mmCIF file of all heavy atoms in Angstrom:
data_model
loop_
_atom_site.group_PDB
_atom_site.id
_atom_site.type_symbol
_atom_site.label_atom_id
_atom_site.label_comp_id
_atom_site.label_asym_id
_atom_site.label_seq_id
_atom_site.Cartn_x
_atom_site.Cartn_y
_atom_site.Cartn_z
ATOM 1 N N ALA A 1132 92.051 48.286 80.632
ATOM 2 C CA ALA A 1132 91.352 48.543 81.893
ATOM 3 C C ALA A 1132 92.201 49.412 82.821
ATOM 4 O O ALA A 1132 91.699 50.366 83.429
ATOM 5 C CB ALA A 1132 90.997 47.218 82.565
ATOM 6 N N GLN A 1133 93.491 49.084 82.928
ATOM 7 C CA GLN A 1133 94.363 49.874 83.786
ATOM 8 C C GLN A 1133 94.523 51.300 83.269
ATOM 9 O O GLN A 1133 94.542 52.260 84.040
ATOM 10 C CB GLN A 1133 95.727 49.199 83.917
ATOM 11 C CG GLN A 1133 95.721 47.966 84.804
ATOM 12 C CD GLN A 1133 95.281 48.287 86.211
ATOM 13 O OE1 GLN A 1133 95.812 49.200 86.855
ATOM 14 N NE2 GLN A 1133 94.294 47.547 86.707
ATOM 15 N N ALA A 1134 94.625 51.437 81.952
ATOM 16 C CA ALA A 1134 94.737 52.779 81.367
ATOM 17 C C ALA A 1134 93.479 53.592 81.657
ATOM 18 O O ALA A 1134 93.553 54.794 81.968
ATOM 19 C CB ALA A 1134 94.964 52.674 79.863
ATOM 20 N N ALA A 1135 92.317 52.957 81.574
ATOM 21 C CA ALA A 1135 91.064 53.654 81.867
ATOM 22 C C ALA A 1135 90.983 54.023 83.344
ATOM 23 O O ALA A 1135 90.561 55.136 83.700
ATOM 24 C CB ALA A 1135 89.874 52.786 81.468
ATOM 25 N N ILE A 1136 91.372 53.100 84.217
ATOM 26 C CA ILE A 1136 91.353 53.387 85.655
ATOM 27 C C ILE A 1136 92.227 54.586 85.981
ATOM 28 O O ILE A 1136 91.881 55.412 86.834
ATOM 29 C CB ILE A 1136 91.817 52.139 86.446
ATOM 30 C CG1 ILE A 1136 90.740 51.051 86.399
ATOM 31 C CG2 ILE A 1136 92.159 52.496 87.894
ATOM 32 C CD1 ILE A 1136 91.183 49.720 86.953
ATOM 33 N N HIS A 1137 93.352 54.718 85.276
ATOM 34 C CA HIS A 1137 94.278 55.817 85.541
ATOM 35 C C HIS A 1137 93.969 57.067 84.711
ATOM 36 O O HIS A 1137 94.834 57.913 84.494
ATOM 37 C CB HIS A 1137 95.710 55.345 85.302
ATOM 38 C CG HIS A 1137 96.182 54.347 86.321
ATOM 39 N ND1 HIS A 1137 96.439 54.667 87.629
ATOM 40 C CD2 HIS A 1137 96.397 53.010 86.234
ATOM 41 C CE1 HIS A 1137 96.823 53.600 88.294
ATOM 42 N NE2 HIS A 1137 96.797 52.573 87.466
ATOM 43 N N ARG A 1138 92.735 57.139 84.250
ATOM 44 C CA ARG A 1138 92.181 58.364 83.637
ATOM 45 C C ARG A 1138 92.883 58.764 82.332
ATOM 46 O O ARG A 1138 93.014 59.937 82.017
ATOM 47 C CB ARG A 1138 92.239 59.525 84.639
ATOM 48 C CG ARG A 1138 91.575 59.219 85.970
ATOM 49 C CD ARG A 1138 91.520 60.415 86.899
ATOM 50 N NE ARG A 1138 92.845 60.919 87.233
ATOM 51 C CZ ARG A 1138 93.638 60.390 88.158
ATOM 52 N NH1 ARG A 1138 93.252 59.330 88.826
ATOM 53 N NH2 ARG A 1138 94.810 60.918 88.418
ATOM 54 N N LEU A 1139 93.316 57.753 81.573
ATOM 55 C CA LEU A 1139 93.930 58.058 80.281
ATOM 56 C C LEU A 1139 92.907 58.167 79.159
ATOM 57 O O LEU A 1139 93.233 58.622 78.065
ATOM 58 C CB LEU A 1139 94.967 56.988 79.930
ATOM 59 C CG LEU A 1139 96.186 56.913 80.854
ATOM 60 C CD1 LEU A 1139 97.136 55.812 80.392
ATOM 61 C CD2 LEU A 1139 96.909 58.255 80.897
ATOM 62 N N GLY A 1140 91.671 57.710 79.409
ATOM 63 C CA GLY A 1140 90.648 57.802 78.384
ATOM 64 C C GLY A 1140 89.534 56.798 78.609
ATOM 65 O O GLY A 1140 89.418 56.194 79.677
ATOM 66 N N VAL A 1141 88.718 56.626 77.567
ATOM 67 C CA VAL A 1141 87.591 55.688 77.600
ATOM 68 C C VAL A 1141 87.986 54.450 76.805
ATOM 69 O O VAL A 1141 88.562 54.563 75.719
ATOM 70 C CB VAL A 1141 86.323 56.319 76.986
ATOM 71 C CG1 VAL A 1141 85.107 55.406 77.212
ATOM 72 C CG2 VAL A 1141 86.059 57.697 77.572
ATOM 73 N N ALA A 1142 87.641 53.278 77.322
ATOM 74 C CA ALA A 1142 87.997 52.027 76.655
ATOM 75 C C ALA A 1142 86.748 51.232 76.323
ATOM 76 O O ALA A 1142 85.725 51.336 77.006
ATOM 77 C CB ALA A 1142 88.921 51.192 77.544
ATOM 78 N N LEU A 1143 86.820 50.440 75.263
ATOM 79 C CA LEU A 1143 85.753 49.495 74.914
ATOM 80 C C LEU A 1143 86.169 48.109 75.418
ATOM 81 O O LEU A 1143 87.151 47.544 74.936
ATOM 82 C CB LEU A 1143 85.546 49.451 73.395
ATOM 83 C CG LEU A 1143 84.680 50.518 72.768
ATOM 84 C CD1 LEU A 1143 84.673 50.351 71.252
ATOM 85 C CD2 LEU A 1143 83.252 50.466 73.297
ATOM 86 N N ILE A 1144 85.411 47.588 76.382
ATOM 87 C CA ILE A 1144 85.770 46.314 77.002
ATOM 88 C C ILE A 1144 84.497 45.510 77.271
ATOM 89 O O ILE A 1144 83.503 46.071 77.711
ATOM 90 C CB ILE A 1144 86.530 46.536 78.327
ATOM 91 C CG1 ILE A 1144 87.765 47.417 78.111
ATOM 92 C CG2 ILE A 1144 86.940 45.205 78.955
ATOM 93 C CD1 ILE A 1144 88.538 47.721 79.385
ATOM 94 N N PRO A 1145 84.515 44.200 77.052
ATOM 95 C CA PRO A 1145 83.370 43.372 77.454
ATOM 96 C C PRO A 1145 83.225 43.412 78.978
ATOM 97 O O PRO A 1145 84.201 43.222 79.700
ATOM 98 C CB PRO A 1145 83.750 41.963 76.982
ATOM 99 C CG PRO A 1145 84.835 42.162 75.973
ATOM 100 C CD PRO A 1145 85.558 43.396 76.385
ATOM 101 N N PRO A 1146 82.035 43.657 79.496
ATOM 102 C CA PRO A 1146 81.874 43.782 80.950
ATOM 103 C C PRO A 1146 82.327 42.562 81.743
ATOM 104 O O PRO A 1146 82.810 42.694 82.862
ATOM 105 C CB PRO A 1146 80.366 44.010 81.109
ATOM 106 C CG PRO A 1146 79.945 44.633 79.821
ATOM 107 C CD PRO A 1146 80.791 43.988 78.771
ATOM 108 N N PHE A 1147 82.216 41.355 81.167
ATOM 109 C CA PHE A 1147 82.585 40.173 81.952
ATOM 110 C C PHE A 1147 84.072 40.131 82.272
ATOM 111 O O PHE A 1147 84.495 39.421 83.189
ATOM 112 C CB PHE A 1147 82.148 38.891 81.235
ATOM 113 C CG PHE A 1147 82.981 38.483 80.051
ATOM 114 C CD1 PHE A 1147 84.115 37.709 80.206
ATOM 115 C CD2 PHE A 1147 82.616 38.864 78.767
ATOM 116 C CE1 PHE A 1147 84.876 37.325 79.109
ATOM 117 C CE2 PHE A 1147 83.364 38.478 77.672
ATOM 118 C CZ PHE A 1147 84.501 37.709 77.837
ATOM 119 N N LEU A 1148 84.888 40.893 81.547
ATOM 120 C CA LEU A 1148 86.323 40.906 81.802
ATOM 121 C C LEU A 1148 86.726 41.907 82.883
ATOM 122 O O LEU A 1148 87.865 41.875 83.354
ATOM 123 C CB LEU A 1148 87.089 41.221 80.519
ATOM 124 C CG LEU A 1148 86.988 40.200 79.379
ATOM 125 C CD1 LEU A 1148 87.799 40.659 78.179
ATOM 126 C CD2 LEU A 1148 87.452 38.821 79.842
ATOM 127 N N ILE A 1149 85.813 42.790 83.256
ATOM 128 C CA ILE A 1149 86.144 43.844 84.237
ATOM 129 C C ILE A 1149 85.097 43.926 85.331
ATOM 130 O O ILE A 1149 84.872 44.995 85.899
ATOM 131 C CB ILE A 1149 86.295 45.218 83.539
ATOM 132 C CG1 ILE A 1149 85.092 45.489 82.618
ATOM 133 C CG2 ILE A 1149 87.604 45.310 82.784
ATOM 134 C CD1 ILE A 1149 85.015 46.913 82.121
ATOM 135 N N ARG A 1150 84.429 42.807 85.630
ATOM 136 C CA ARG A 1150 83.396 42.820 86.660
ATOM 137 C C ARG A 1150 83.933 43.320 87.986
ATOM 138 O O ARG A 1150 83.274 44.098 88.694
ATOM 139 C CB ARG A 1150 82.814 41.407 86.794
ATOM 140 C CG ARG A 1150 81.802 41.226 87.915
ATOM 141 C CD ARG A 1150 80.727 42.272 87.952
ATOM 142 N NE ARG A 1150 79.986 42.362 86.703
ATOM 143 C CZ ARG A 1150 79.271 43.423 86.363
ATOM 144 N NH1 ARG A 1150 79.265 44.508 87.137
ATOM 145 N NH2 ARG A 1150 78.597 43.436 85.240
#
Side-chain angles (χ1 to χ4, degrees):
Q1133 286 300 308
I1136 288 171
H1137 291 290
R1138 306 186 299 279
L1139 295 180
V1141 188
L1143 277 176
I1144 304 178
F1147 75 87
L1148 295 180
I1149 49 168
R1150 175 49 57 200

